[in-house]
Amino acid sequence: GAGVSQTPSNKVTEKGKYVELRCDPISGHTALYWYRQSLGQGPEFLIYFQGTGAADDSGLPNDRFFAVRPEGSVSTLKIQRTERGDSAVYLCASSLNGPRELFFGEGSRLTVL
Amino acid sequence: GENVEQHPSTLSVQEGDSAVIKCTYSDSASNYFPWYKQELGKGPQLIIDIRSNVGEKKDQRIAVTLNKTAKHFSLHITETQPEDSAVYFCAARQTLGRLYFGRGTQLTVWP
C-alpha cells in the first residue's frame, strides 16, 4: 500500500491480557516511530527505530511495553498485563532516513476493560 | 527534553475569516517545526513545516512563521473553509529523533 498501515484498527481486551499491535511502514522508510494518543491530547512518543534497532526507547512507560522490528520493516508493539490506563490510540509513523517528514498511520484504538 | 506549549486549545471562526494558532518551545537545539492536521478517526497529516534557517513559509492559504530568538512559531490559515475544521498540532524536534507535540487546537469553521 501507499501509506502506513496499522492493524488492528480497533482492539478491545480485558485487564491483564496481552496485546500486539502491528505497523507496516511505507516501503523504503528506514525510520519508524510509535506514539500513543489519549483523548484530547497530543501524540506522546514511545519508541523510535532506525532500521532494526531501537534508537530511542525512552518513551516506553514501563517494562510491560516492548516493541520489535526484526527485519527493519514491519514493527510490533507488545503490551503485557494490560491496564485500563493503557487505553488510547497507538499511532505508528515512518520516514526516510534523516530529518524528513513523518507519515502517520490511522492508528490502533486500544480499549482495556 | 523539549516542551511544546500550544494555544488556544479551541478556536471558532466564521468561514472566510483567518485563524492563528501559536506555539512555544523550550529547547534552543530544536530546528524543525511541523504542523499536523488531524481529522476525527484519522492519523495526523503534515500540512506545512519550517526549518530554523527560515523565518516564514507559505503554501496557498497556509503560512507558518518562526521566531527563533523568542522560541515561538505560529500557524496562519486565511480564508478559512468548513473543511479546515479539525485538530491542529504543532511539533518540534532536533535534526533526528522524536517529535515533541503540543496538546492540539480544535478549530471549528462555521459556514
Side-chain angles (χ1 to χ4, degrees):
Chain A
V4 177
S5 176
Q6 291 189 246
T7 54
S9 55
N10 276 286
K11 176 71 176 178
V12 180
T13 191
E14 293 180 344
K15 182 174 177 293
K17 298 290 188 183
Y18 170 80
V19 165
E20 287 191 354
L21 306 175
R22 175 189 166 109
C23 173
D24 199 341
I26 293 172
S27 178
H29 281 193
T30 56
L32 185 146
Y33 302 76
W34 283 100
Y35 281 81
R36 178 168 70 174
Q37 188 174 26
S38 300
L39 193 63
Q41 303 292 320
E44 174 191 16
F45 173 79
L46 295 176
I47 186 169
Y48 153 52
F49 287 91
Q50 188 60 250
T52 60
D56 182 356
D57 65 358
S58 61
L60 295 177
N62 51 59
D63 61 5
R64 296 187 298 105
F65 288 75
F66 190 70
V68 296
R69 195 186 185 198
E71 297 177 356
S73 178
V74 171
S75 176
T76 305
L77 178 66
K78 308 181 181 195
I79 310 173
Q80 298 178 322
R81 305 183 302 280
T82 52
E83 300 177 356
R84 292 193 180 90
D86 298 335
S87 296
V89 175
Y90 289 81
L91 293 165
C92 177
S94 70
S95 75
L96 291 168
N97 199 19
R100 304 294 188 96
E101 173 185 355
L102 267 64
F103 293 85
F104 281 87
E106 298 204 337
S108 293
R109 179 176 297 279
L110 175 65
T111 303
V112 182
L113 302 177
Chain B
E2 175 65 273
N3 181 42
V4 178
E5 300 279 349
Q6 181 172 349
H7 300 280
S9 57
T10 61
L11 180 59
S12 292
V13 299
Q14 202 73 33
E15 182 177 1
D17 287 349
S18 295
V20 180
I21 303 170
K22 299 183 178 183
C23 289
T24 61
Y25 63 99
S26 61
D27 189 349
S28 57
S30 291
N31 58 16
Y32 175 66
F33 307 93
W35 286 87
Y36 283 84
K37 176 183 181 182
Q38 188 173 29
E39 297 177 331
L40 199 60
K42 305 283 189 182
Q45 182 179 15
L46 181 75
I47 55 171
I48 194 167
D49 57 13
I50 190 166
R51 298 180 192 277
S52 61
N53 57 345
V54 175
E56 183 176 358
K57 183 176 178 181
K58 285 186 181 180
D59 183 3
Q60 298 182 1
R61 297 186 296 109
I62 295 173
V64 57
T65 59
L66 171 65
N67 183 328
K68 279 210 72 181
T69 303
K71 295 198 189 73
H72 66 71
F73 56 114
S74 301
L75 177 71
H76 304 252
I77 306 174
T78 58
E79 300 172 25
T80 52
Q81 301 167 1
E83 51 265 39
D84 293 330
S85 297
V87 179
Y88 290 80
F89 292 97
C90 62
R93 78 169 192 197
Q94 298 180 28
T95 302
L96 295 174
R98 68 167 77 176
L99 275 174
Y100 293 84
F101 283 86
R103 294 185 65 167
T105 297
Q106 172 70 61
L107 173 65
T108 303
V109 181
W110 299 100

